[in-house]
């Protein structure tokens, strides 16, 4: 479980995160949703210490992350698997080396065990037999999936995914969503997914935090979201006419 | 003011670079990889430059020494002295600052802007140590060898080109390059080389590591890396020369 309590962040005079509190539960896929530029990525980066909070607490099972020393932070980070919005694959390494990297660094697995694990992870994200390709040789969506494979390689306790299915077709999107969800259940991971994809919201949104211009605006589940009366969230959910039609069709049945 | 800022941040970074590595085996692999990238790939350019510079210095001194009081073996002596104590350690290092420095800064810089360094940090890895230490170690280990090869090729170049244009005879040249040899000058040269190797790799890594922004800034970092490495090479060349000669 991870709890954030009253976190604040400004870049210069620009207030980006304003008094956000939330509990990300273990064994659940917790979603952060919101428009582009609302501060979703910033929250995640605050949680892992890539940005420092101006104020507030970030509790990993009760341990307040910002007040830990570097060693303490590193101990927690080793349990985090993170998928960056841009992938952040290591350019100079093949897919296989990228996925193996956390295993090389932090485990004493044998060569064969590592190979097996790498193939398993690549398989899960549907990149079987792409082991020897370099990131430069992949499409945008493939990079995302490869980065997810790296994030889950070392059995993380916390899995943070920044838009795991942006740039993916609807079918692959669902595969990735389901993968994230099933890993979360199977290994009882505390998972946080950032997304704007309403499909994902409905499919895997067990606990949702909606951020509006840096403020915590709404919380609830993927089912509850359609019954909201919150005007900004309604705008967000029903941004497309298609969504509205589906909603009414389902409601009138 | 800005200079103090860079100074402070540079030393803090170096401190992080030399903190205890996570896993030695991974570092060893990285060092070998960097030795290959920094060292072996620089060989061709160093070989060409040294060979021709040796030749040119031979010809210039052979036709420059017109006084009958200067013995003919002075040509070989001059080539050896200038190659060993100045051209190879300093000028070749300056050239390498351009080649290696821009390479290191742009590599680390682009890792910074594409969040690869953040990704390392998130995994709980000391990114400064992982990325920079292997480069510094590789540079300090391999540069002395490169410079030694450069010295050798410079003297060989002088011999071959000197003979080819009829500037020296084989006997005089070989006598000259052995005349009045003082071993401490080799210590002097290699002290310089090791210092310069450290300066080039660490300063370039520093500028790459603190790149902010996009591709444009990576270009700027790589320019700064070359400029500052070169200036510091010149300053340290002066300081070390003072130390040895006075
Ligand atoms: N390093 C930074 N320095 C200054 N401002 C920043 C920095 N990072 C983010 N911001 C600002 O913070 C705000 C929120 O950015 P953030 O990346 O968190 O948005 P986001 O919700 O993830 O958007 P998207 O869905 O487009 O990824 C933006 O206005 C952005 O300009
Ligand atoms: Mg974002």
């Amino acid at each position: 479980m991870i709890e954030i309590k009253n976190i604040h962040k400004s870049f210069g005079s620009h207030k980006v995160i304003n008094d956000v509190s939330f509990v990300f539960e273990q064994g659940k896929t917790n979603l952060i949703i919101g428009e582009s530029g609302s501060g979703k990525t910033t929250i995640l980066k605050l949680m892992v210490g890539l940005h420092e909070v101006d104020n507030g607490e970030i509790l990993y099972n009760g341990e307040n992350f910002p007040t830990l020393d570097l060693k303490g932070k590193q101990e927690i980070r080793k349990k985090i698997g993170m998928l960056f919005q841009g992938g952040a694959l290591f350019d100079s390494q093949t897919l296989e080396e990228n996925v193996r990297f956390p295993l090389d660094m932090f485990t004493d697995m044998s060569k064969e065990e590592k190979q097996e694990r790498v193939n398993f992870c690549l398989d899960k994200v549907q990149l079987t037999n792409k082991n020897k390709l370099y990131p430069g040789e992949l499409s945008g969506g493939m990079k995302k999936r490869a980065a997810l494979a790296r994030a889950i390689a070392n059995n993380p306790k916390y899995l943070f995914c920044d838009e795991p299915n942006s740039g993916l077709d609807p079918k692959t999107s669902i595969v990735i969503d389901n993968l994230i969800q099933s890993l979360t259940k199977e290994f009882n991971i505390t998972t946080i997914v950032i997304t704007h994809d309403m499909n994902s919201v409905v499919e895997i949104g067990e606990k949702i935090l909606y951020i509006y211009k840096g403020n915590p605006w709404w919380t609830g589940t993927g089912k509850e979201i359609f019954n909201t009366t919150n005007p900004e969230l309604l705008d967000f959910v029903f941004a497309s006419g298609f969504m509205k039609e589906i909603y009414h069709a389902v409601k009138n049945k | 003011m800005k200079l103090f800022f860079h100074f402070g941040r540079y030393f803090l970074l170096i401190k992080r670079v030399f903190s205890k590595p996570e896993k030695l085996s991974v570092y060893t692999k990285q060092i070998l990889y960097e030795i290959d990238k920094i060292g072996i790939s620089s060989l061709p350019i160093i070989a060409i430059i040294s060979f021709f510079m040796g030749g040119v210095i031979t010809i210039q001194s052979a036709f420059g020494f017109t006084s009958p009081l200067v013995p003919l073996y002075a040509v070989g002596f001059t080539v050896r002295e200038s190659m060993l104590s100045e051209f190879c350690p300093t000028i070749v290092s300056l050239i390498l600052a351009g080649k290696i420095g821009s390479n290191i800064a742009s590599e680390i810089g682009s890792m910074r802007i594409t969040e690869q360094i953040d990704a390392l940090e998130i995994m709980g890895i000391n990114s400064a140590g992982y990325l920079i230490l292997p480069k510094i170690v590789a540079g300090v280990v391999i540069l002395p060898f490169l410079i030694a090869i450069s010295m050798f090729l410079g003297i060989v170049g002088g011999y071959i080109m000197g003979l080819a244009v009829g500037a020296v005879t084989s006997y005089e040249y070989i006598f000259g390059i052995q005349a009045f040899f003082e071993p401490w000058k080799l210590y002097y040269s290699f002290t310089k080389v090791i210092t310069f190797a450290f300066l080039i790799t660490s300063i370039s890594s520093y500028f790459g590591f603190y790149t902010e922004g996009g591709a444009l800034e990576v270009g700027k970092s790589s320019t700064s890396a070359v400029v500052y490495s070169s200036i510091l090479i010149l300053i340290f060349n002066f300081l070390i020369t003072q130390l040895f000669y006075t």
Side-chain angles (χ1 to χ4, degrees):
Chain A
M1 188 190 82
I2 311 170
E3 183 173 10
I4 54 177
K5 267 190 184 164
N6 310 100
I7 57 171
H8 291 258
K9 177 69 184 177
S10 303
F11 291 111
S13 61
H14 179 32
K15 183 116 197 182
V16 177
I17 298 299
N18 184 31
D19 202 24
V20 176
S21 302
F22 198 66
V23 176
F24 300 97
E25 280 177 34
Q26 188 166 2
K28 285 192 179 171
T29 39
N30 304 272
L31 261 49
I32 303 178
I33 60 173
E35 313 169 19
S36 179
S38 55
K40 305 180 297 295
T41 300
T42 306
I43 292 179
L44 217 51
K45 288 194 174 174
L46 288 169
M47 291 181 63
V48 295
L50 286 176
H51 296 317
E52 305 242 323
V53 284
D54 296 338
N55 231 317
E57 294 178 7
I58 295 164
L59 305 163
Y60 285 82
N61 289 328
E63 265 189 293
N64 190 12
F65 188 82
T67 59
L68 295 174
D69 61 357
L70 183 66
K71 227 178 166 73
K73 284 183 180 161
Q74 283 181 340
E75 280 316 307
I76 289 184
R77 284 171 171 174
K78 284 176 195 170
K79 298 180 202 148
I80 297 176
M82 178 142 166
L83 166 61
F84 282 78
Q85 193 166 0
L89 292 170
F90 303 127
D91 288 327
S92 59
Q93 302 182 355
T94 61
L95 266 196
E96 173 176 294
E97 289 165 340
N98 263 286
V99 178
R100 202 178 57 215
F101 189 85
L103 306 177
D104 284 339
M105 275 322 230
F106 300 117
T107 70
D108 294 315
M109 290 164 120
S110 72
K111 224 172 159 171
E112 292 74 28
E113 285 170 322
K114 284 188 222 169
Q115 190 64 46
E116 202 173 303
R117 179 75 193 158
V118 167
N119 290 340
F120 173 80
C121 292
L122 286 176
D123 216 34
K124 283 275 184 199
V125 296
Q126 304 192 327
L127 288 172
T128 319
N129 295 330
K130 299 275 189 280
N131 297 43
K132 302 291 178 201
L133 293 183
Y134 282 90
E137 300 169 318
L138 302 179
S139 73
M142 286 164 89
K143 277 185 203 161
K144 267 279 161 70
R145 286 184 278 147
L148 180 60
R150 184 180 67 187
I152 61 175
N154 199 15
N155 286 321
K157 200 162 174 258
Y158 311 104
L159 179 62
F160 301 162
C161 303
D162 197 344
E163 305 196 8
N165 45 25
S166 67
L168 297 183
D169 60 281
K171 207 170 141 216
T172 316
S173 257
I174 290 171
V175 172
I176 295 300
D177 279 348
N178 289 341
L179 169 63
I180 292 173
Q181 175 128 38
S182 66
L183 286 170
T184 303
K185 298 293 168 213
E186 189 178 348
F187 298 102
N188 203 19
I189 302 172
T190 307
T191 300
I192 304 177
V193 176
I194 294 180
T195 185
H196 336 118
D197 182 17
M198 281 313 295
N199 230 329
S200 312
V201 171
V202 179
E203 284 290 324
I204 61 169
E206 293 180 271
K207 203 168 172 213
I208 300 172
L209 168 64
Y210 170 62
I211 297 290
Y212 180 72
K213 294 190 175 160
N215 298 285
W217 215 246
W218 183 87
T219 60
T221 68
K223 304 285 175 298
E224 290 163 6
I225 202 164
F226 290 104
N227 302 321
T228 181
T229 50
N230 186 316
E232 287 79 18
L233 182 58
L234 279 172
D235 266 357
F236 179 82
V237 174
F238 296 112
S240 78
F242 182 61
M243 228 28 235
K244 273 182 203 148
E245 270 174 43
I246 293 183
Y247 176 62
H248 290 301
V250 171
K251 212 174 161 187
N252 297 335
K253 215 161 55 177
Chain B
M1 231 19 247
K2 194 107 182 265
L3 202 64
F4 284 116
F5 169 73
H6 280 305
F7 223 61
R9 206 168 56 161
Y10 172 79
F11 280 109
L12 286 177
L13 180 67
I14 295 299
K15 204 177 132 217
R16 274 178 66 193
V17 167
F18 284 96
S19 57
K20 195 171 151 281
E22 280 85 16
K23 204 162 182 185
L24 226 51
S25 59
V26 178
Y27 275 69
T28 329
K29 218 178 101 204
Q30 285 298 106
I31 290 172
L32 291 176
Y33 172 73
E34 295 293 342
I35 283 182
D36 185 49
K37 214 173 63 182
I38 294 176
I40 313 302
S41 74
S42 303
L43 258 181
I45 181 144
I46 288 183
I48 293 169
I49 294 174
S50 313
F51 187 86
F52 279 94
M53 284 310 289
V56 169
I57 293 175
T58 305
I59 295 167
Q60 279 182 358
S61 29
F63 293 107
F65 299 151
T66 44
S67 160
L69 290 177
V70 180
L72 281 168
Y73 66 80
V75 176
F77 174 78
T78 309
V79 173
R80 187 198 73 211
E81 286 296 293
S82 42
M83 279 287 154
L84 258 52
S85 47
E86 209 48 42
F87 179 79
C88 297
T90 310
I91 308 296
V92 172
S93 292
L94 282 171
I95 292 166
L96 288 177
K99 183 176 179 292
I100 301 173
S102 59
N103 184 298
I104 290 179
S106 56
E107 180 192 327
I108 298 184
S110 63
M111 289 188 77
R112 166 64 75 193
I113 64 162
T114 55
E115 298 184 316
Q116 292 175 51
I117 294 182
D118 290 342
L120 285 169
E121 283 293 322
I122 292 312
M123 289 178 193
I125 291 165
N126 168 10
S127 59
Y130 174 76
L131 290 174
I132 302 175
L133 187 62
K135 293 191 197 310
I136 294 181
V137 173
V140 169
V141 167
I142 202 67
L143 241 65
F145 286 98
L146 288 179
I147 301 300
I149 292 171
S150 160
M151 290 169 172
F152 175 75
L153 287 176
I155 289 169
V156 169
Y159 180 74
I160 293 176
M161 288 172 82
L163 284 187
V165 302
V168 287
T169 68
S170 170
Y171 172 78
E172 285 158 6
Y173 189 82
I174 290 173
F175 184 84
I177 58 175
Q178 295 171 22
F180 312 114
F181 181 64
E182 295 164 290
W184 70 266
K185 284 197 176 155
L186 277 183
Y187 289 117
Y188 161 69
S189 301
F190 282 98
T191 305
K192 296 207 294 189
V193 173
I194 290 169
T195 311
F196 299 161
F198 182 83
L199 289 173
I200 296 171
T201 46
S202 63
I203 291 173
S204 309
S205 301
Y206 167 79
F207 279 103
F209 199 79
Y210 288 107
T211 305
E212 262 173 53
L216 207 62
E217 281 74 15
V218 174
K220 282 185 195 154
S221 298
S222 128
T223 310
S224 305
V226 176
V227 171
Y228 282 91
S229 312
S230 304
I231 293 173
L232 277 141
I233 286 178
L234 294 173
I235 293 173
F236 273 83
N237 189 32
F238 172 74
L239 293 177
I240 295 171
T241 305
Q242 282 272 306
L243 211 71
F244 272 84
Y245 277 84
T246 58

